């Protein structure tokens, strides 16, 4: 008998649901943070005495399939101008879907975190069957934006006026067999979202703000779904070779809007409203 995955043995238990905190000033930035999301995964390998299961690996794979990421700035006076930076759409962000992983785990390791208790491996020959593999998942997304952006058209500081960040994920329990094939067994969707208005109460190099969270703020997650994910919005990035992880994608997008004249950076000489659906 060869080693195999026991039918209906995969299980995900979410031990801490995602939450969001209200934005807070942190130095020269506004910080958007939330509570941790944690989960435990389990799957059973079957075999007979003498079978070697050491080539089997189980863990979580995570895809991000939606990101909203924009900030609007206004000067103290209408004549000081306004700035809109769009960090969630092309060309700053070249694609929505990406494979997510912790920074210490290269994207082409496939599993979200290929370290420690985050993955589990089958035992060497001589290990008794059935073998129950248990592994953990942890994530804590966050984002920041500058409190002040300098308007190149007016030469005046523009202060944070409104921002919206949304991160939507699907986390997949998967087993990789010794041949390198992945067997996706269960998954769940979850998200964290921040949207707020910011009214400067004092101006200058270290402004203070009245912060008003809007209806778009919150966090949610769906039930555990059994079977192979079929959502075309992200299935093509689950195990395919990728040049950048989600962390690298969003950092590149942030950098892309810093320069004057950047495609996703819009400066105006007066207060202007921008269509947040556009680059």
């Amino acid at each position: 008998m060869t080693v195999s995955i026991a039918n209906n043995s995969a299980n995900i238990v979410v031990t801490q649901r995602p939450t969001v905190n209200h934005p807070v000033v942190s130095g020269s930035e506004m910080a958007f943070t939330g509570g941790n999301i944690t989960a435990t995964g389990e799957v059973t390998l079957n075999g007979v005495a003498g079978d070697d299961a050491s080539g089997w690996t189980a863990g979580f794979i995570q895809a991000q399939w939606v990101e909203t990421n924009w900030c609007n700035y206004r000067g103290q006076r209408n004549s000081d101008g306004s700035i809109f930076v769009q960090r969630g759409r092309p060309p700053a962000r070249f694609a929505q879907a990406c494979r997510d992983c912790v920074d210490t785990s290269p994207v082409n390791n496939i599993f979200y975190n290929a370290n420690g208790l985050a993955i589990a491996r089958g035992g060497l020959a001589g290990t008794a069957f059935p073998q129950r593999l248990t592994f953990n998942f942890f994530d804590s997304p966050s984002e920041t934006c500058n409190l002040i952006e300098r308007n190149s058209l007016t030469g005046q500081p523009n202060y944070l006026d409104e921002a919206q960040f949304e991160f939507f994920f699907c986390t997949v329990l998967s087993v990789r067999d010794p041949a390198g094939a992945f067997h996706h067994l269960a998954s769940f969707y979850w998200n964290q979202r921040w949207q707020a208005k910011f009214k400067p109460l004092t101006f200058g190099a270290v402004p203070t703000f009245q912060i008003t969270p809007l209806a778009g703020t919150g966090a949610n997650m769906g039930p555990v779904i059994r079977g192979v994910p079929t959502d075309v919005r992200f299935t093509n990035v689950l195990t395919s070779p990728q040049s950048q992880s989600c962390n690298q994608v969003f950092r590149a997008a942030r950098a892309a809007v810093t320069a004057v004249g950047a495609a996703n950076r819009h400066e105006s000489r007066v207060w202007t409203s921008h269509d947040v659906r556009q680059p």
Side-chain angles (χ1 to χ4, degrees), residues 178-232:
F182 285 88
H183 306 266
H184 305 317
L185 303 176
S187 61
F188 63 94
Y189 289 83
W190 64 281
N191 62 68
Q192 289 178 298
R193 312 174 312 278
W194 298 264
Q195 185 175 8
K197 289 283 291 183
F198 304 91
K199 179 181 179 181
L201 300 177
T202 61
F203 297 89
V206 187
T208 59
F209 292 86
Q210 175 183 311
I211 303 172
T212 306
L214 302 179
T217 298
N220 204 357
M221 63 171 298
V224 173
I225 303 168
R226 304 286 177 180
V228 180
T230 58
D231 194 329
V232 296

Side-chain angles (χ1 to χ4, degrees), residues 99 107-110 182 235-245:
R99 185 164 63 244
V107 65
N108 285 316
N109 281 356
I110 307 299
F182 285 88
T235 50
N236 64 320
V237 303
L238 283 177
T239 60
S240 61
Q242 299 291 308
S243 61
Q244 293 182 311
S245 69

Side-chain angles (χ1 to χ4, degrees), residues 8-277:
N8 302 315
S9 66
N11 188 43
I12 299 173
V13 176
V14 176
T15 50
Q16 188 170 343
R17 297 173 63 92
T19 59
V20 295
N21 303 319
H22 285 184
V24 295
V25 173
S26 177
S28 62
E29 297 179 322
M30 190 68 68
F32 301 78
T33 63
N36 302 333
I37 177 173
T38 61
T40 297
E42 296 180 322
V43 67
T44 296
L45 300 180
N46 283 336
V48 297
D51 282 344
D52 185 349
S54 61
W56 293 77
T57 308
F60 287 103
I61 300 172
Q62 181 159 280
Q64 182 184 357
W65 53 278
V66 167
E67 175 154 335
T68 301
N69 197 317
W70 58 263
C71 311
N72 194 63
Y73 295 82
R74 285 188 173 184
Q76 184 175 358
R77 295 166 291 274
N78 181 58
S79 58
D80 292 339
S82 60
I83 302 172
F84 176 70
V85 291
Q86 174 60 271
R87 308 191 298 198
R89 294 187 177 274
R93 183 183 176 94
F94 66 86
Q96 284 285 294
C98 54
R99 185 164 63 244
D100 194 23
C101 62
V102 299
D103 282 342
T104 56
S105 182
V107 65
N108 285 316
N109 281 356
I110 307 299
F111 289 110
Y112 173 77
N113 185 353
N115 301 311
L117 299 176
I119 60 170
R121 302 184 187 276
L124 293 167
T127 305
F129 287 93
Q131 296 179 18
R132 190 67 171 169
L133 306 185
T134 302
F135 39 94
N136 298 324
F137 169 77
F138 164 90
D139 198 3
S140 184
S142 63
E143 181 59 294
T144 62
C145 60
N146 291 332
L147 300 178
I148 301 172
E149 292 280 347
R150 178 70 57 175
N151 191 309
S152 68
L153 300 178
T154 65
Q156 296 300 313
N158 287 189
Y159 299 88
L160 184 62
D161 172 69
E162 186 174 354
Q164 184 178 20
F165 306 115
E166 298 178 323
F167 307 129
F168 284 69
F169 301 95
C170 185
T171 305
V172 182
L173 185 157
S174 191
V175 177
R176 181 168 53 195
D177 65 29
F182 285 88
H183 306 266
H184 305 317
L185 303 176
S187 61
F188 63 94
Y189 289 83
W190 64 281
N191 62 68
Q192 289 178 298
R193 312 174 312 278
W194 298 264
Q195 185 175 8
K197 289 283 291 183
F198 304 91
K199 179 181 179 181
L201 300 177
T202 61
F203 297 89
V206 187
T208 59
F209 292 86
Q210 175 183 311
I211 303 172
T212 306
L214 302 179
T217 298
N220 204 357
M221 63 171 298
V224 173
I225 303 168
R226 304 286 177 180
V228 180
T230 58
D231 194 329
V232 296
R233 292 172 295 187
F234 62 80
T235 50
N236 64 320
V237 303
L238 283 177
T239 60
S240 61
Q242 299 291 308
S243 61
Q244 293 182 311
S245 69
C246 289
N247 288 327
Q248 293 169 308
V249 169
F250 97 79
R251 287 173 184 149
R254 288 178 61 174
V257 301
T258 58
V260 173
N264 292 52
R265 182 185 181 93
H266 306 274
E267 299 192 9
S268 172
R269 294 183 180 276
V270 295
W271 293 350
T272 303
S273 296
H274 297 271
D275 185 347
V276 302
R277 299 168 298 179

